[in-house]
Amino acid sequence: MSMSQEKLESFRRAFPPSRGVEEIPGQDIPTFQVERELLPELARRLKDDPDFDFKMLSDVCGVDWPERQARFDVVYHLYSLTHNHRLRLKVPVSEQDAVVPSVYGVWRAADWFEREVFDMFGVRFSGHPNLKRILCHPSFQGHALRKDYDPGQRWLLREGEQDEPSWAREVQEDEDHFETQVLNLGPSHPATHGTLRTVVRLDGEVITRAECEIGYLHRCFEKMSERHTWNQIIPYTDRLNYCSAMMNGVGYALAVEKLLGVEAPPRAQVIRVILSELSRIMDHIVCIGANLNDVGAMTPFLYVYQAREEIYSLLEACAGGRLTISYVRVGGLANDVPEGFEEAVRYLLRRIPPLVDDMERLITENRIFRQRTEGIGKLSAAEAVDWGWTGPCLRASGVPYDVRKTNPYLGYETYDFKVPIATTGDTYARYLVRVEEIRQSLKIVEQALKRLAPGPIITDNHHVALPPKEKVYTEMEALIWHFKLIMEGMKVPKGEVYGFTEGANGELGFYTISDGGGSPYRLHCRPPCFAVFQAYPHMLEGHMIADSIAILGSLNIIAGELDR
Amino acid sequence: MRNTDVVVCDPKPLRFWQRFYLVEVLKGLGVTLRHFLGNLFGRKYTVTVEWPEVKREYSDRLRGRHVLLTREDGSPRCVACYMCETACPADCIHIEAEEDPTSTVEWEKRPKVFNIDLLRCVFCGLCVDACPKEAIIMTRHHEMAFTGREEAVATIDTLLQKGPIDRIDLGYRPYYGRESRPITLPIPVRVEPAPKAPRPDLAATP
Amino acid sequence: MSEASVGKPMLPVAGKPPAGPRVSDGSNIFLTTKLDRLIDQARKNSLWPFPFGTACCAIEFMSTIMSHYDMSRFGAEVVRFSPRQSDLLIVAGTVTDKMAPVMVRIWEQMAEPKYVISMGACACTGGFYRAYHVVQGIDEFIPVDVYVPGCPPTPEALLQGLLRLQEMIAAGETHYQRMVAAARAKAKGAVS
């Protein structure tokens, strides 16, 4: 996963310390601190040089160090699909002169990520085409993720102060004297899943320009996580991608476990795999069902939702909650699964395929559906990578990138499953890929079920996991550990880690920085939706207004994850 | 990545009969009809839970409203150690301690005020995990609509266990050395006894 | 952490949060009480919800209208995404400061009589997001008839909230009905 030695050497040769590139040793992935003047050249070289071939910018985020001279770090995470290696770049800037050259010209994925850093930290990006607030509303004052910002300080938005694209007021007339029309889709629109807003300019029914506005569900996950202990964050992660809550918890726990150097016991890992894959199925069911619903096919959703309801039932039996389960703990799981778990999963394995078959029979070969979706919302592989796409959307464009294969975790390398891809990259392909992923996930669950052996479900490291209850009630030492863990939170060693897993929508990353305290110094979530959705306005151009709904549904934008 | 790990699922070209709308539409109609007739005669596909007359068998771990357990003499088990208040991510628990006058030991605390704002609560169960005395646990009582925010603050009087423990509809609680009810699928349901008070209707209103 | 401080440089709310539904002064209402009751019966059994679903609760709302729980058994299956066609606003999910003007506008656009169910911890109080961008309870902006706790509430909990609202409508206890009653009493007092 990290760069090979000779590649690193050639990088060091090309950018020696004399040019302002300083290596930070001892990190999970090779990390270099870069002077901001060098950034454009460095970025261009890293992308175009076949030795490095960092075609994908997976994440940009900021970190605030108030006591430092250069107060902010802008952190870039790069990924190369061909070499399967990663690189982290840090660009320090001071508060007075917080300007960094934008890398939007190199990777288009930087578009929204840079806007987010600007919104949250006030770091400006010179050369960015549309640098304005993205998550917070326009009347917001200050920058929320700075350490000196009071987390409870709210600013109210007045009616009429909402943001509008600069071009929304321009009225254009073409030769036929047809006025172009500006239309506002969302945020409260049945097909925008509640909280997405797209402003489109129409020529007749054809979209000529579009701009998205997000942040309608910005729930301050990252600020909240700085205020809570490591285990208290688990309920918050559940609410990121609420369609598949389990996988967020697993991703977060894996990142923290990496930092701690502990591993969940085998039984917990297998249960995590089973429930994660069932969550993936649930997520795809909602995505496909909602997409079909939006384009006018109501019935399949009603059928496949039964599978979801039964998976809910299973989750409720394990964790006690249906949707937001808070079942994962750092180091393992909260409880062991109840008796009858295996039979219940086997029942699901029998139950889900017929329902998916029913849906396929209704839809897959249906000419109406195919005409609505084929050739709609096409994105080529190169473009998709450039936009930072991951997950089913990227695979539908023909790039077989799946974290479970490239950087296996939880023992995914030992499971026999295939990565579904399609080459057309349109809405229909995304539907097909998701359907096939449901089947592959079922295969994984089936194999995992065979490996489910009795054993502990949480690590016995008393610095990490709460001691078992019967010990707390009887033994003094256990009670003291229990007390310390609740009152202070676990102490995670100083350091930083980028933990990434394959969420339902793609690479779900948690960039975690610990200062050795009971709560994270900084926890940044790299939401797969965020990268996917920023390409959406550009995909719309030239399409009909009705197609925008079909495309949006196929991208599976989950607002909780998008806005955090 | 090896090529064997990849399965290509590109769209297949439509076959001759699929080009006609009608065939596929009829096929789809067949699926719907199968479900419809299965519901009508066999009730094979009926999934609707006729709530509130019929209820789902909830899991033994369902996280509903909290209950404060009592000791055998009826005093609360809670010793006001503030663990649940600290563990709560929503800060919805408010405890004020006082000295227990009935205690035989010196400096035994008990809660004077124990409030849970049920509208703030996110029912994550961290308070149950945090409690060192098994004093706070959760019931399966989760249907509790309120009409005001003040009404939703549960005080110690309403939270304290009433009656013997086997009369409480126990939900999420520590699971050491005892098993919860095994899970069964398809979703089990049970018929509720008829509600005591009839629902208010036109005749009942003055 | 302290209570979210909505203190210092806070700006006034969009168009001033309304104190309650706007109603006519009541002078043109001539229906007899019994007929009113009948109408309330009709209204309570044919609530058309507007699902203002923003977050996790929207998924549970989806479960509620799906075949397992089937809200249509209570006469509330006609989910309308147009405020003009619905009389029950179900706010399901977190409402942020950015979203609040949208919600207020939708509520204002709804034709009377209108009722509001606040579903889930976030909509009721802000839940565990005591944060800089989250509304600490939608009753800061609009009057709420029924609060359904849970994060998210189970479908049964939402259905129970719906039944509670139906009882309230039958008993004339909703915000709207109390406003009408108050306006009527005032008009009566003015006449006599």
Side-chain angles (χ1 to χ4, degrees), chain A residues 471-498:
Chain A
K471 282 193 176 166
V472 173
Y473 298 153
T474 52
E475 289 174 22
M476 197 59 197
E477 196 194 336
L479 182 65
I480 291 170
W481 280 116
H482 183 86
F483 186 79
K484 273 184 82 71
L485 274 175
I486 299 284
M487 285 298 177
E488 297 165 8
M490 72 180 84
K491 296 281 185 287
V492 174
K494 217 169 169 169
E496 57 188 66
V497 79
Y498 179 69

Side-chain angles (χ1 to χ4, degrees), chain A residues 228 231-232 235-236 239 299 303 306 309-310 313-314 316-322 324-327 329 334-341 344 347-348 351 355 358 361-362 365-368 370-371 374 400-402 405-406 417-424 428 432-433 436 440 466 469-470 472-473 479 482-483 486-487, chain B residues 1-2 4-15 18-21 24-25 27-29 31-36 45 47 56-59 61-63 81-84 86-90 122-134 172-177 179-188:
Chain A
H228 287 84
N231 262 332
Q232 274 181 333
Y236 284 95
R239 287 152 183 87
T299 322
Y303 295 159
Q306 294 169 18
E309 207 53 64
E310 280 173 352
S313 208
L314 179 76
E316 188 193 286
C318 296
R322 282 160 52 87
T324 47
I325 53 178
S326 54
Y327 189 41
R329 295 286 182 274
N335 289 308
D336 204 347
V337 293
E339 237 180 282
F341 176 76
Y347 169 80
L348 285 175
R351 173 84 167 134
L355 292 171
D358 268 358
R361 230 169 273 144
L362 282 168
E365 302 298 326
N366 188 312
R367 196 175 149 194
I368 305 169
R370 288 187 65 158
Q371 282 180 337
E374 270 184 303
Y401 170 57
D402 186 323
K405 287 281 184 197
T406 56
F417 69 101
K418 287 189 168 32
V419 176
I421 63 163
T423 47
T424 46
Y428 188 60
L432 290 177
V433 165
E436 185 56 35
Q440 296 295 336
L466 289 177
K469 278 277 180 182
E470 66 266 34
V472 173
Y473 298 153
L479 182 65
H482 183 86
F483 186 79
I486 299 284
M487 285 298 177
Chain B
M1 189 183 301
R2 297 184 310 262
T4 51
D5 288 346
V6 170
V7 48
V8 180
C9 41
D10 268 341
K12 297 176 204 76
L14 284 174
R15 274 159 292 186
Q18 284 167 340
R19 285 171 195 279
F20 298 100
Y21 288 97
E24 279 303 311
V25 167
K27 217 166 101 188
L29 203 60
V31 176
T32 335
L33 264 180
R34 181 161 54 78
H35 279 263
F36 174 68
Y45 299 94
V47 289
R56 200 154 57 84
E57 274 288 356
Y58 302 115
S59 127
R61 297 178 183 181
L62 188 74
R63 296 192 296 250
C81 68
Y82 297 94
M83 296 278 255
C84 49
T86 314
C88 178
V122 293
F123 300 93
C124 60
L126 290 185
C127 51
V128 179
D129 291 350
C131 184
K133 299 294 273 184
E134 205 175 332
Y172 188 73
R173 58 192 191 276
Y175 286 92
Y176 59 92
E179 270 306 317
S180 49
R181 189 176 62 78
I183 169 183
T184 44
L185 282 177
I187 302 168

Side-chain angles (χ1 to χ4, degrees), chain A residues 281 285 288 292 299-300 303-305 307 348-366 431 435-436 438-439 442, chain B residues 24 27-28 30-32 34-35 45:
Chain A
I281 293 169
I285 282 174
I288 296 171
L292 294 176
T299 322
Y303 295 159
V304 285
Y305 212 88
L348 285 175
L349 288 174
R350 288 195 306 275
R351 173 84 167 134
I352 296 171
L355 292 171
V356 178
D357 287 345
D358 268 358
M359 179 184 75
E360 281 227 87
R361 230 169 273 144
L362 282 168
I363 289 301
T364 307
E365 302 298 326
N366 188 312
Y431 160 80
V435 172
E436 185 56 35
I438 291 180
R439 298 189 194 285
L442 287 170
Chain B
E24 279 303 311
K27 217 166 101 188
V31 176
T32 335
R34 181 161 54 78
H35 279 263
Y45 299 94

